[in-house]
Amino acid sequence: MTTYGNCEDLIGLVVNPGNFLPDLPLDKVRYLLLESQALRDDYERSIVINYIAGNFSSNKHLCCTVLAGKADSEILDVLDDVERMINEELEARKRYGLPSF
């Protein structure tokens, strides 16, 4: 059987917050963090999938499809990673004085 590349990290291929966060205004980044925390508190699978795909993926349909095939624990891990990256972005803006647009 032919292998066409590393398919173990499909989530990493479709979810890429690092590409979107630096270009967003500071208030939008803070809002995304608050929204993420609220979604964690009131977890509903389809809403969290759409939140991740809609805000942190360049190919939203593919992202929804990949995340739909994952377990809830994996989706929550993705949400953890997104929150971590948002916090890192906020800290970087504080530390280096990046513009808040």
Side-chain angles (χ1 to χ4, degrees):
M1 185 165 153
T2 305
T3 303
Y4 292 103
N6 184 4
C7 294
E8 294 175 7
D9 188 25
L10 286 177
I11 294 174
L13 292 174
V14 295
V15 178
N16 45 8
N19 290 349
F20 296 95
L21 291 173
D23 297 332
L24 295 176
L26 183 60
D27 60 339
K28 176 67 174 175
V29 175
R30 288 182 178 153
Y31 180 76
L32 286 172
L33 181 60
L34 290 174
E35 192 174 16
S36 175
Q37 292 167 346
L39 288 172
R40 175 181 306 289
D41 293 340
D42 300 326
Y43 179 76
E44 189 172 325
R45 180 182 175 87
S46 61
I47 293 175
V48 173
I49 288 173
N50 286 318
Y51 165 79
I52 293 169
N55 291 300
F56 306 108
S57 179
S58 56
N59 191 334
K60 291 157 185 31
H61 179 34
L62 180 61
C63 183
C64 283
T65 303
V66 169
L67 290 177
K70 300 297 180 181
D72 287 341
S73 62
E74 292 174 296
I75 293 171
L76 287 171
D77 288 343
V78 172
L79 198 58
D80 285 338
D81 291 340
V82 165
E83 287 179 8
R84 181 185 50 78
M85 291 187 81
I86 291 172
N87 284 322
E88 288 174 2
E89 178 66 23
L90 290 171
E91 286 300 317
R93 290 186 187 198
K94 285 181 195 174
R95 191 175 324 122
Y96 299 115
L98 295 175
S100 59
F101 298 90

